Amino acid sequence: MIQVRYLRGLELPDLGLWLDPSRRKPFAFVSHAHSDHIGNHGEVIASVGTSRLMAARLPGKRREHLLAFGAPAAFPGFTATLLPAGHVFGSAQILLESDAGSLLYTGDFKLRPSLSAEPTEWRPADILIMETTFGLPKYCMPPTEEVIAGMISFCREALADGAVPVLLGYSLGKSQEIICALLRAGLVPMLHSAVYRMTELYRELAPDFPEGYVHYCAGQVEGKVLVVPPNTIRSPMLQRIKNRRTAVLTGWALDPSAKYRYGCDAAFPLTDHADYTDLIRYVELVRPKLVYTLHGFAAAFAADLRQRGVEAWALSEENQLELML
């Protein structure tokens, strides 16, 4: 099997490749353009969409191998194929094949359909390395349509009362899901500058991305739905809007304390990560001989898989070892 090593990052030493490292590396795969997954590496493998979005967030020169989804590319000692991850636009998984076997690394992913990202694909692999942000049974998300319907009702009720609805979502990925849902419902999204910048890039990369959103302009918020990053919740921009109602869009909304933790009036469980049901289903689809888990509840989910007869171990935290009585 392909050797896997985890120490301040995920390394495949036999292939000379790092997977989503946060620190600069000579050769790395970058799964998507969120800030915690990109770095100014010497040489990268990425999708075209990730490359464009990453360039907007991380200036600098690097040697890039930009792969189309589903098209194998040969590198010294291995073949790499990118598959859509369904997380944000351009997000990719990487399937690596060598004489030692095959390995599929998901990065952040989800199985549920997205309004603004490519549908997820998968392949069988000997080793599966998967992110497990929501790796506990209590994190089973309600149907996306139900979550969006609740969000739209929240906005319409606020507008009917003469208030300004404010929706909090990350500028890359989550905000574009929100925008698509609002436009489908006939509402007008008004975008914070960071959200507007990323959305304009989406429009360049995906010509079918819908029109109808507008850039934020103070004094023109009436009748609009503001879409802003979560870190603006206490910003002067929002504080100036006295009659506002705020809602955060996050998978952590399943926790009863979420709206208080984020300082909002409401919280809706819209996530771009796989929930617990997705995680279990993905292991069934890939049929790996060995699973490594990363992030979130990595140890708990690995223990869960072992109880189901799947060899699984956490890379990013101590494993929970079962006592045989």
Side-chain angles (χ1 to χ4, degrees):
M1 287 190 177
I2 295 174
Q3 184 182 359
V4 177
R5 187 159 59 198
Y6 187 83
L7 180 62
R8 300 192 192 93
L10 184 55
E11 182 188 12
L12 308 179
D14 295 342
L15 308 186
L17 182 67
W18 292 76
L19 305 176
D20 275 339
S22 57
R23 299 183 180 184
R24 178 181 170 87
K25 301 298 179 185
F27 190 24
F29 165 64
V30 177
S31 66
H32 65 285
H34 277 153
S35 58
D36 58 336
H37 285 258
I38 60 178
N40 196 16
H41 311 299
E43 188 174 356
V44 301
I45 299 173
S47 72
V48 174
T50 291
S51 172
R52 289 285 305 279
L53 292 164
M54 181 168 60
R57 303 188 127 199
L58 186 69
K61 293 184 178 180
R62 48 197 158 259
R63 185 183 177 193
E64 294 185 323
H65 304 275
L66 304 184
L67 308 187
F69 288 128
F75 294 88
F78 67 93
T79 298
T81 306
L82 298 191
L83 304 171
H87 177 58
V88 301
F89 185 83
S91 61
Q93 308 163 79
I94 190 167
L95 174 65
L96 299 164
E97 297 171 285
S98 74
D99 292 342
S102 59
L103 181 150
L104 178 62
Y105 167 73
T106 68
D108 294 336
F109 80 104
K110 78 172 189 296
L111 289 182
R112 292 179 309 287
S114 169
L115 298 177
S116 61
E118 302 90 343
T120 313
E121 298 178 15
W122 55 88
R123 300 282 191 280
D126 298 326
I127 299 174
L128 172 62
I129 304 178
M130 63 191 306
E131 74 88 14
T132 51
T133 299
F134 293 115
L136 292 180
K138 70 176 183 177
Y139 292 115
C140 291
M141 304 295 161
T144 303
E145 298 80 6
E146 179 182 308
V147 176
I148 288 175
M151 178 190 77
I152 297 299
S153 293
F154 171 87
C155 293
R156 285 184 169 145
E157 288 172 10
L159 291 168
D161 291 341
V164 177
V166 180
L167 303 180
L168 279 68
Y170 290 117
S171 60
L172 172 58
K174 184 69 65 66
S175 284
Q176 286 71 42
E177 287 287 295
I178 294 168
I179 292 163
C180 288
L182 293 173
L183 290 171
R184 283 188 175 189
L187 300 174
V188 180
M190 177 172 273
L191 313 185
H192 180 278
S193 292
V195 176
Y196 185 81
R197 182 168 170 244
M198 287 295 105
T199 305
E200 288 289 274
L201 265 175
Y202 262 62
R203 289 267 327 275
E204 291 179 23
L205 294 165
D208 59 344
F209 193 88
E211 301 179 16
Y213 56 85
V214 296
H215 198 176
Y216 169 75
C217 183
Q220 297 183 19
V221 297
E222 186 176 348
K224 314 291 196 309
V225 180
L226 283 186
V227 182
V228 303
N231 62 4
T232 64
I233 185 65
R234 294 180 178 84
S235 67
M237 169 188 168
L238 294 190
Q239 296 304 313
R240 282 194 292 266
I241 305 170
K242 300 305 180 185
N243 191 16
R244 66 183 183 276
R245 294 184 192 169
T246 57
V248 64
L249 285 300
T250 172
W252 303 115
L254 290 182
D255 294 331
S257 63
K259 69 177 183 179
Y260 306 108
R261 188 164 71 249
Y262 286 94
C264 292
D265 299 305
F268 297 98
L270 184 68
T271 181
D272 46 20
H273 289 267
D275 71 350
Y276 176 79
T277 305
D278 280 354
L279 295 173
I280 293 293
R281 177 62 178 149
Y282 204 67
V283 174
E284 295 171 348
L285 291 168
V286 176
R287 305 191 305 277
K289 298 174 184 176
L290 173 63
V291 176
Y292 289 121
T293 58
L294 278 170
H295 311 309
F297 299 96
F301 189 73
D304 190 326
L305 290 179
R306 290 195 299 275
Q307 291 178 355
R308 296 168 182 266
V310 178
E311 184 178 356
W313 303 99
L315 290 173
S316 54
E317 57 183 289
E318 292 292 329
N319 284 280
Q320 301 175 6
L321 300 179
E322 301 84 0
L323 293 176
M324 301 300 292
L325 299 179

